[in-house]
Amino acid sequence: MDVDGVSIVARGITATGPEGIVFENVDARVYPGELAVVLGEGGTGRTSLLLALSGRLKIVAGRIEIDDAPRRASLVRRAIIPARLSPGFELEGRLRVREAIRERRVTARVTARAVDRAMAALGLDVDRAALIDELYPDDRLLLAIALATAGEPPGILVDDVVAGLLPSGRNRVWSALRAVADTGITVLASSTEPTSEADVLIRLPYNIVDFGDDTTGLPLFSSAANEDVR
């Protein structure tokens, strides 16, 4: 699989909710085929930032560029698809694996071969007659990632990567996400703990952006008030 991933630049973005500011003045740059991880404890706006970067949450200040230009939110949503977003976009536990696969084949218009290939790429071999709820947590998340990547989208979202996982499962999933990014797909993930697999770490609430060994990094951008994702 060789995919043209999506690039994302956030310049001083801020989002608010009913209780006030969710995140504020966030800067980030994610290149195609990178694994970017939004890092923070509960309540720091991790999921909201994923939603904003993927065109699913309106910002009240700043600017987001996708592939070097502002884009309509609807186009961004089609380019960056969720593997898991909590709550609201998760595999249904009552379904069997084969039913989840069949459902995704219909909704994403992908072939059985494409799903098989995506599962094999992640080292995933599960009983397709099993209920989703019967899978180990790491197998369940890897299945969600495989179904999201089967159609070779430019980008995917994975919320709360380490939630419910044992250390061995965490390592397995992070390695799988690294493999996905290495195909060219841009991966936006959130977590309560860092990983050495990440190319970019965006730390909340303090907006400390870690670009690994790339010391050129991202220059600090000034916020542009009242400019929304278009």
Side-chain angles (χ1 to χ4, degrees):
M1 192 164 53
D2 188 9
V3 181
D4 292 329
V6 63
S7 69
I8 304 165
V9 174
R11 308 173 187 248
I13 63 173
T14 296
T16 59
E19 298 182 2
I21 293 173
V22 179
F23 57 79
E24 185 176 23
N25 198 32
V26 173
D27 298 309
R29 184 192 299 275
V30 184
Y31 290 104
E34 285 192 329
L35 169 55
V37 179
V38 179
L39 183 65
E41 298 300 323
T44 56
R46 296 190 320 267
T47 300
S48 295
L49 184 53
L50 289 186
L51 292 171
L53 294 175
S54 64
R56 292 172 170 83
L57 178 68
K58 186 176 182 180
I59 57 175
V60 298
R63 181 182 182 91
I64 297 175
E65 296 179 358
I66 304 297
D67 290 336
D68 301 319
R71 307 288 179 185
R72 291 187 180 277
S74 59
L75 297 178
V76 179
R77 290 193 295 269
R78 287 199 291 270
I80 307 174
I81 66 171
R84 180 173 75 183
L85 278 172
S86 305
F89 198 101
E90 300 176 274
L91 295 179
E92 294 187 48
R94 64 179 178 79
L95 295 181
R96 300 193 181 278
V97 172
R98 61 171 175 257
E99 293 171 331
I101 291 173
R102 186 182 307 119
E103 182 180 86
R104 187 58 57 92
R105 285 186 57 199
V106 171
T107 58
R109 298 182 181 180
V110 297
T111 65
R113 183 177 179 182
V115 173
D116 291 344
R117 186 168 58 244
M119 292 175 65
L122 301 182
L124 182 60
D125 184 13
V126 294
D127 180 2
R128 299 196 179 196
L131 293 171
I132 299 294
D133 270 348
E134 294 174 339
L135 300 179
Y136 288 113
D138 48 332
D139 281 338
R140 181 172 180 165
L141 181 51
L142 288 175
L143 177 60
I145 295 167
L147 294 178
T149 58
E152 301 184 358
I156 65 167
L157 302 175
V158 189
D159 194 19
D160 281 339
V161 170
V162 302
L165 300 183
L166 297 172
S168 59
R170 296 174 190 176
N171 292 336
R172 186 182 176 209
V173 171
W174 283 127
S175 295
L177 290 176
R178 175 73 268 162
V180 170
D182 287 344
T183 68
I185 295 174
T186 302
V187 180
L188 299 178
S190 72
S191 177
T192 56
E193 62 183 45
T195 172
S196 60
E197 300 288 0
D199 298 298
V200 177
L201 288 176
I202 306 170
R203 300 178 186 269
L204 295 178
Y206 302 109
N207 189 23
I208 302 169
V209 183
D210 184 348
F211 293 92
D213 295 331
D214 182 5
T215 55
T216 59
L218 174 71
L220 294 178
F221 295 106
S222 60
S223 62
N226 301 318
E227 186 171 10
D228 300 328
V229 178
R230 290 181 291 171

